[in-house]
Amino acid sequence: MRSTDTLTRAEIAEAIHRKLGLSRSESLAMVEAILQHMTQALSDGENVKISGFGTFLLRDKGERVGRNPKTGVEVPITPRRVMTFRASQMLKDRIAGS
């Protein structure tokens, strides 16, 4: 069964507010600072690893030939950098156990 709920920045900040007792604005600022730091590291070409959660990996994909499925015409796909997420084994186990 799939869940349709989505955890938002505001909900993360609210959880920090409740658990740590920080003000709502401080909690939201903390969430934003963490996300900004992760974003900056990724844009600088660094992978981001959060122990027990997972790793955001950057990968450079080379140029390749793609095909338009409707017309069959070959089209070059330009090289690019993509980000992937690999969940840690601990996270996989927790998800599978629920």
Side-chain angles (χ1 to χ4, degrees):
M1 183 165 88
R2 258 182 183 214
S3 173
T4 58
D5 294 336
T6 301
L7 181 63
T8 65
R9 292 175 189 214
E11 290 170 336
I12 294 169
E14 182 64 26
I16 291 171
H17 164 71
R18 283 194 312 269
K19 292 190 186 231
L20 300 180
L22 298 175
S23 72
R24 283 186 171 86
S25 61
E26 289 174 328
S27 299
L28 186 57
M30 180 184 291
V31 171
E32 291 297 331
I34 291 167
L35 293 174
Q36 177 61 37
H37 193 68
M38 291 172 59
T39 302
Q40 187 61 50
L42 289 164
S43 66
D44 290 344
E46 299 176 50
N47 293 328
V48 175
K49 181 175 184 175
I50 302 172
S51 182
F53 183 73
T55 306
F56 295 90
L57 297 165
L58 295 173
R59 194 177 79 163
D60 291 319
K61 295 179 88 172
E63 184 172 357
R64 62 189 174 94
V65 176
R67 191 176 311 278
N68 181 327
K70 192 171 184 177
T71 64
V73 175
E74 289 186 352
V75 179
I77 299 174
T78 59
R80 64 194 186 278
R81 177 173 278 174
V82 296
M83 183 192 68
T84 59
F85 176 75
R86 283 192 59 129
S88 71
Q89 191 59 50
M90 185 184 300
L91 179 60
K92 289 178 186 179
D93 293 343
R94 288 195 67 176
I95 291 171
S98 59

